[in-house]
Amino acid sequence: TVVTEAEIVIDVILDGGGILTVDGNETHRVFSVPENVTAELRGFTVRGGNADGGGGIFNDGTLTLTNSAVSGNAADFGGGIYNDGTAMLTVTNSLIVGDCEGDITPNGYNVESPGDTCGFGQLTDQVNVSAEDQRGEPRDSMCDVGAFEAQP
């Protein structure tokens, strides 16, 4: 787990390999992408963000989120993700726990819990589902929703 606030200021692809968690420590936003920047986040867990808008992710540029989980973030609006104005955000095969604000392009295989604020509408998307395992414990990792994995 890395505790940081990261503003992505260059065009870049960042790959967390499905094992990297970036945590805002409940004191600041986790990721932000400014205007005129193109970024892709792959295989990250984004959690613990706290900001006025976009506690987990604030996007004002072009962002692609793939194979990632956004969970446990807080904000006055767009607690999980805030996509500003004409910014472009595409989400694929990701879990969003918490609300989204702004226009988001779903590219399939996404899960949102609870509610339906991200606008996921592909046939392979699931919205307003429980993000808990069989024990009722929250899942904020790359594990499938509803699954339980034994820890070593």
Side-chain angles (χ1 to χ4, degrees), residues 130-149:
S130 173
E132 297 177 343
D133 66 19
Q134 294 93 330
R135 303 167 297 166
E137 296 293 321
R139 302 301 301 172
D140 63 350
S141 67
M142 295 303 295
C143 180
D144 293 334
V145 171
F148 171 73
E149 293 180 356

Side-chain angles (χ1 to χ4, degrees), residues 4-135:
T4 189
E5 178 176 6
E7 181 176 28
I8 301 169
V9 295
I10 61 171
D11 294 350
V12 67
I13 296 172
L14 300 174
D15 193 334
I19 59 171
L20 184 60
T21 297
V22 184
D23 194 321
N25 204 29
E26 299 180 6
T27 59
H28 52 77
R29 176 179 296 120
V30 180
F31 283 110
S32 63
V33 179
E35 192 173 12
N36 300 318
V37 171
T38 299
E40 182 172 353
L41 298 175
R42 298 178 185 165
F44 281 91
T45 296
V46 178
R47 72 174 182 204
N50 192 339
D52 290 340
I57 298 171
F58 182 94
N59 181 46
D60 198 25
T62 301
L63 176 63
T64 301
L65 183 68
T66 306
N67 300 332
S68 295
V70 179
S71 175
N73 299 285
D76 294 335
F77 51 91
I81 299 173
Y82 181 79
N83 195 51
D84 195 33
T86 59
M88 300 288 297
L89 175 59
T90 303
V91 180
T92 306
N93 197 36
S94 294
L95 168 65
I96 311 297
V97 179
D99 65 322
C100 299
E101 188 157 325
D103 292 332
I104 296 173
T105 302
N107 213 15
Y109 303 98
N110 298 299
V111 175
E112 181 182 4
S113 171
D116 184 13
T117 62
C118 296
F120 295 157
Q122 300 290 321
L123 290 175
T124 56
D125 292 333
Q126 297 180 34
V127 298
N128 201 24
V129 297
S130 173
E132 297 177 343
D133 66 19
Q134 294 93 330
R135 303 167 297 166

